[in-house]
Structures are given as C-alpha cells and as structure tokens.
C-alpha cells in the first residue's frame, strides 16, 4: 500500500516541481485558498499560539499575521517539492549566503559545525550551502518519514546537492563516529521543537512562556568540541531567501552551562518578533507551558 501511495503521488509532485516559477506560485496561491479557507488546516492551533505570544496585538493584527503565515507555509512546502527538479544554479540564486567567510574561518580551526536552525523562513533550501565548494560534508538531522518510499525520496533530493540525512534516532551515534574518524561536517539541526517532558532537564522562556527545550545541540557541541552557529534566514521576497551565519560559540566547552541554548533562543526570538509571519505556528510549541516544572529540571 505504501508503494502504491508513493507511485500515485510522486508523478503529481514531479509535475508541480517542473512548473515555471510564475505558474508555480500561482499554483501555491490556489493551494493556500484550499488549505486556509476550505480545510482550515490547524487554524485553531495557529490562532491560539498567536494569542498566547502576542496578547498585546489586536485580533485584526493577529489575523493579518495568520494569513501571511499560511501563504508562506504553503510556499515553503511547495518549494520543498520544487527541490525535486530545481537546478544548482537556480537554487543558489534563490537561497544566498551573505558571509561564507565565517564557515571558512571555522574550517581553519579544524572543527565541525552544528548549524542551529529554527522553524523560520526557509529550511528546505539550505541545501544550497553544499554548492559553495566547502571542505565539509553536509548533514541534515531529520525525523524519519514513515513511508519508506517518501523517506528515500527525501534522501535522494538531499543527495542531489551532496547532502546527507541522518535520522534523529541515530544522529548522536553517527556524529560521534564521524568525529572520531576525522570526518568534518556541517550538521543542520532544527532545535526549537517541544521535547517530551521526560527527555529534557532544561526549561527556558521562549516568546514569554517557560517551556522545556532540547539540550542536544549544547551537549554534543561541548562533548565533541564542535562550533555552534545560528543560521539567520530572512525571506527577502517570494521565493528568495538570504542566510547569515551568526556564531554562538567557537569553543563550546568553555561556555557557561545553558549559554549556548539561551543564545540560540534569543536569536530566534528576535527574528520572530521582527517578522512573525515566517515562523511555523502550526506546531504546538507551547503545549507544556502550564506543566509543573520537575524538581530536578534547570530553569535558565
């Protein structure tokens, strides 16, 4: 059944991916209308999140953010589909990096990089980083897709741009193994998800609410001496993004506990407050905000 679903859906995805960009975004507008007005995909969650984070804004202001967000979300999903056929030249033109010298500087230190990303702007086209001739192998940490055929498709897309995907389940072991074998890599990690209560000992304030947070980026960087860099992505206009590397730490082992994690969330908050429509409001990031904080947890 999973194979059948894949072979029924994939041809449609491929056809969408080869549309000229003018038609591609016209199609995105139609999908937006269906997702927002007809299906109403997670509108309740988005509304609640915006009310929670922006209580000072009027309902009209939050509504404008909501609609802009849905348009962006549909664009970003379809841009992932566009990755099936987009050329290297076009991808590099549409997802530009402003300060590649920062990556080269860390390379001279002979260190791998944890690229700390958020669910902000675009994280689908960051594969463009591998088109700059870096002396690094590129890895993306991701949650494995249940359908093995779509999972393979995701890996194949990354493979087109010399990138590799590592499942969250095996990430720590593989990164540790790569470091022991002297394989320098850039590891892209989205670190703003909501962890299970029993899997984290760290809580911090995010957008005005205390929530549990993943500590994996900080833990790995300290143990393996990997530089930590925040990827600041801005949407310049429809279909065009600009990314800037903001180094959080060159030497994580020397940093105070929780500083790396706190700096990451500070950077992400600044972006969300600046242009909230580009954050992924459909996920339940603040679902544990009213949960009693465990006695052995650290609040920072």
């Amino acid at each position: 059944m999973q194979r059948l679903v894949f072979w029924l859906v994939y041809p449609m995805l491929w056809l969408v991916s080869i549309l000229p960009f003018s038609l591609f975004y016209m199609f995105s507008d139609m999908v937006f209308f269906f997702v927002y007005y007809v299906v109403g995909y997670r509108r309740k969650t988005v509304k609640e999140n915006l009310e929670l984070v922006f209580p000072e804004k009027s309902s009209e202001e939050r509504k404008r953010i909501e609609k802009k967000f849905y348009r962006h979300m549909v664009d970003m999903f379809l841009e992932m589909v566009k990755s099936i056929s987009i050329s290297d030249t076009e991808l590099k033109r549409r997802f530009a990096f402003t300060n590649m010298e920062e990556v080269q500087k860390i390379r001279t230190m002979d260190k791998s990089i944890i690229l700390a990303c958020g669910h902000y702007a675009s994280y689908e086209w960051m594969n463009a980083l591998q088109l700059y001739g870096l002396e690094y192998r590129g890895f993306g940490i991701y949650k494995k897709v249940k359908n093995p055929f779509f999972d393979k498709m995701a890996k194949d897309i990354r493979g087109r741009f010399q990138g590799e995907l590592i499942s969250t389940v095996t990430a720590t072991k593989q990164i540790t193994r790569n470091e022991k074998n002297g394989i320098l890599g850039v590891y892209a990690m989205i670190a703003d998800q909501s962890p299970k209560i029993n899997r984290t000992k760290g809580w911090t304030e995010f957008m005005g609410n205390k929530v549990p947070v993943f500590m994996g980026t900080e833990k790995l960087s300290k143990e393996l001496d990997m530089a930590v860099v925040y990827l600041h992505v801005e949407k310049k206009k429809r279909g065009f993004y600009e990314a800037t590397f903001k180094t959080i730490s060159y030497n994580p082992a020397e940093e105070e506990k929780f500083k790396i994690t706190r700096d990451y969330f500070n950077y992400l908050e600044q972006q969300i407050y600046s242009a909230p429509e580009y954050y992924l409001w459909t996920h339940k990031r603040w679902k544990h905000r009213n949960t009693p904080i465990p006695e052995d947890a650290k609040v920072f």
Side-chain angles (χ1 to χ4, degrees):
M1 178 59 73
Q2 290 181 327
R3 184 191 295 270
L4 177 62
V5 170
F6 174 78
W7 286 115
L8 287 174
V9 173
Y10 181 77
M12 292 184 285
L13 296 179
W14 183 80
L15 287 172
V16 171
S17 79
I18 63 173
L19 288 173
F21 274 99
S22 57
L23 295 179
F24 177 81
Y25 285 114
M26 286 176 63
F27 178 73
S28 182
D29 288 338
M30 290 188 290
V31 175
F32 157 74
F33 183 88
F34 181 75
V35 169
Y36 186 75
Y37 290 105
V38 180
V39 177
Y41 175 70
R42 293 198 177 186
R43 283 186 61 176
K44 181 180 178 183
T45 297
V46 173
K47 183 175 183 292
E48 290 175 349
N49 282 340
L50 290 173
E51 287 175 347
L52 176 70
V53 172
F54 298 112
E56 77 286 356
K57 293 185 183 295
S58 67
S59 58
E60 290 79 11
E61 289 176 304
R62 289 194 294 266
K63 186 62 123 180
R64 283 195 292 271
I65 293 171
E66 179 183 308
K67 287 185 178 180
K68 287 180 180 179
F69 156 69
Y70 273 94
R71 287 187 181 279
H72 167 71
M73 182 189 72
V74 173
D75 276 0
M76 189 175 64
F77 171 77
L78 290 177
E79 285 163 0
M80 174 184 66
V81 174
K82 191 71 173 175
S83 297
I84 294 173
S85 61
I86 194 170
S87 70
D88 291 6
T89 302
E90 190 65 26
L91 178 61
K92 194 173 180 180
R93 187 173 79 89
R94 288 178 173 271
F95 199 101
F97 292 87
T98 65
N99 60 335
M100 291 301 301
E101 65 276 6
E102 184 62 17
V103 175
Q104 300 293 3
K105 177 180 178 179
I106 297 172
R107 180 62 184 83
T108 64
M109 300 176 186
D110 203 32
K111 291 187 176 188
S112 290
I113 298 172
I114 293 182
L115 196 59
C117 311
H119 283 98
Y120 189 87
S122 175
Y123 36 89
E124 294 298 341
W125 279 353
M126 69 172 68
N127 293 318
L129 180 61
Q130 294 304 113
L131 302 177
Y132 283 79
L134 300 178
E135 296 180 68
Y136 278 110
R137 284 175 61 179
F139 301 90
I141 312 304
Y142 84 118
K143 188 174 182 179
K144 194 172 182 179
V145 181
K146 291 182 179 180
N147 185 312
F149 301 99
F150 282 107
D151 190 71
K152 182 179 183 301
M153 183 185 78
K155 290 180 178 178
D156 289 345
I157 289 173
R158 267 58 178 190
R160 288 187 57 219
F161 307 103
Q162 295 81 52
E164 301 175 45
L165 289 182
I166 304 175
S167 166
T168 52
V169 177
T170 62
T172 299
K173 288 183 179 179
Q174 186 164 339
I175 294 171
T176 301
R177 184 165 57 248
N178 285 351
E179 288 298 297
K180 287 182 177 179
N181 292 333
I183 299 172
L184 292 179
V186 176
Y187 298 90
M189 299 182 181
I190 296 180
D192 59 337
Q193 303 98 323
S194 181
K196 292 183 178 180
I197 296 295
N198 61 352
R199 291 188 180 180
T200 183
K201 298 300 181 184
W203 289 63
T204 195
E205 190 169 288
F206 179 44
M207 304 298 291
N209 295 272
K210 282 190 173 60
V211 292
V213 294
F214 280 110
M215 300 295 297
T217 296
E218 181 165 335
K219 185 174 183 291
L220 267 178
S221 65
K222 286 178 175 288
E223 290 178 353
L224 301 177
D225 191 30
M226 304 167 71
V228 180
V229 179
Y230 177 76
L231 188 64
H232 179 105
V233 182
E234 295 182 20
K235 188 170 187 175
K236 306 307 289 185
K237 61 180 180 179
R238 198 174 198 183
F240 289 87
Y241 303 89
E242 189 175 88
T244 302
F245 300 104
K246 295 192 174 184
T247 299
I248 292 175
S249 179
Y250 296 115
N251 301 294
E254 299 176 5
E255 304 289 357
E256 293 181 4
K257 194 172 183 180
F258 305 123
K259 181 181 182 300
I260 289 172
T261 305
R262 185 61 258 168
D263 286 352
Y264 163 78
F265 278 100
N266 284 340
Y267 276 131
L268 181 56
E269 281 184 330
Q270 289 171 18
Q271 288 206 267
I272 296 172
Y273 281 125
S274 175
E277 62 268 29
Y278 300 136
Y279 189 61
L280 188 64
W281 296 104
T282 49
H283 64 172
K284 297 182 179 181
R285 181 59 190 90
W286 294 272
K287 62 184 177 182
H288 295 307
R289 67 186 185 281
N290 293 322
T291 302
I293 299 174
E295 291 184 3
D296 60 343
K298 299 295 182 181
V299 181
F300 57 93

